[in-house]
Every structure is written in C-alpha cells, then in structure tokens.
Amino acid sequence: MTLTELIQDGKITPIIDRSFPFEEIPAAVEYQEEGHAPGKVVITV
C-alpha cells in the first residue's frame, strides 16, 4: 500500500504544524530554524 492510499483510506493522517503562502518562504524557513519539527510546515502555491 502506498502512502497516498493510506491517507485516502484514513489509516494515517498527516499532521501539519503550520502553512505559509509561497510569498512567505523566508518566514517559513525562519520558523523551521526555530526548532519546530522538520517536515511539518507546508508552503502553499
């Protein structure tokens, strides 16, 4: 089973700490550098 299938089947739920618009990439990087868990920040395009 792929990761996508697991998410679609509701067997796992991705956890997103925070979302930033594309224009705020520097703020997103700064947020990550503050020690927040890696991989939990999303950039929306």
Side-chain angles (χ1 to χ4, degrees):
M1 198 170 248
T2 67
L3 182 58
T4 301
E5 291 170 328
L6 291 169
I7 293 169
Q8 290 172 341
D9 291 346
K11 294 181 179 179
I12 61 170
T13 303
I15 298 173
I16 299 170
D17 180 34
R18 192 157 172 198
S19 179
F20 290 86
F22 183 79
E23 298 79 23
E24 294 182 19
I25 288 176
V29 171
E30 182 178 331
Y31 183 76
Q32 283 294 117
E33 289 176 345
E34 291 173 354
H36 299 278
K40 295 186 179 188
V41 173
V42 173
I43 304 297
T44 55
V45 182

